[in-house]
Amino acid sequence: MSAGVDTDPVALRGFFHLVNYLCQPVIFYTGTIAAFFGALIFRKIWVQPKVALGLLLGSFVFVGISCFNGQFAHEAAKPDNIPLWIMLYLTALVLWAAFYQAVRNDERIKQGLRVDEAEAADEKLHVWPYLVYIEGIVAAFVLALLFIWAMGLEAPLEQFANPAKSPNPAKAPWYFLGLQELLVYFDPWLAGVVLPGMIVTGLIALPYCDPNPKGVGYYTFEQRKFAITTYLFGFLLMWIVLIFVGTLLRGQNWNFFGLYEAWDEHKLISANNVNVSEIFWQNMMSRATPTQWWMRELPGFVLLAGYFTVLPGLIAVVFKRFYQQLGFIRYSIVVMHLIVMLLVPIKMYLRWGFNLKYIVFIPEYFFNV
């Protein structure tokens, strides 16, 4: 059961309306991108323990206030959504610990000192019994936590599939909601095969394409800005954020809803999705769309060809040193993975801002981009 805004406390309605407004797709995703780069720029501030503790307490206050909204409380407390909160807070904890040590090491390097990991390497720690004891204690703690979790929360099992009554919204398990969100913007062969496959090939190629000998065996950001920024952009903004969106911001009919907005299956979205071919032939050229698929989709092919040929060359010219360090082959591998990754937020913005569905639309051969 979800609650509308009329059931919200009067004192909080203005706050809830503001958050719902900020949850509009373009505003929300632009805000997350700005917050991401802002966190990298001002990392020396938020890694300080007092600031980090304040942010943590602030998040608890935000979630606590949000629970006064019936819609949020209903969705956030679902047993199959509890792992989302664990993932969010564990991700934040790990990132804070990594950047705390990275900032500390970068300061030591500037002062001409050895990094903390090098100092610790001088100390010997026997695997038996010290490390085994620690691992055993952690394993016992995790096992106890899983027992408590299993007994305290009901398993999110549903009834047998009934073709006469489909769930609305039909959602995958929480860890696949990022992938399901990609299906809104790309065909299944792209969202479910090509993009995840390039994540794997990118991780495989990473050790062979990185010529930087620094930052190995210790935490640092200054010495690996490009690698860390690129990885975190893909992991946080194109996976973690999309899981959050799919869990709490996607409701009936897979429509976008505000964080505190009641999910109404009758909500109508005014969107007339168009393709590049329609924009070019009908709007720009003021003529009928050609019937031959190759002629009809020629503008889309030109855009894709320009994106995948002109953009890599432009990056090589602007970042000439980067190109020279990698060489042609390694640069080609890195930049192709990079521009494919950037194609995801570009396509998302095109859908949100211009209702653009496909750049190339060839239903005759089930090839759509």
Side-chain angles (χ1 to χ4, degrees), residues 48 177 180 201 261 354:
Q48 299 178 20
L177 287 180
Q180 187 171 353
T201 58
E261 183 181 355
F354 304 97

Side-chain angles (χ1 to χ4, degrees), residues 183-257:
L183 290 170
V184 177
Y185 315 101
F186 297 93
D187 265 18
W189 71 276
L190 269 172
V193 180
V194 175
L195 295 178
M198 294 200 72
I199 295 175
V200 176
T201 58
L203 293 175
I204 293 174
L206 185 61
Y208 305 98
C209 294
D210 187 1
N212 188 357
K214 299 179 180 179
V216 178
Y218 58 92
Y219 290 97
T220 179
F221 180 79
E222 293 289 346
Q223 296 180 346
R224 286 189 173 273
K225 288 183 178 180
F226 174 77
I228 294 175
T229 302
T230 304
Y231 173 80
L232 289 181
F233 185 90
F235 176 66
L236 295 178
L237 296 180
M238 293 171 51
W239 193 247
I240 301 296
V241 170
L242 293 187
I243 289 177
F244 178 87
V245 168
T247 303
L248 297 179
L249 302 185
R250 286 290 192 179
Q252 270 76 1
N253 306 316
W254 207 250
N255 286 328
F256 247 101
F257 290 86

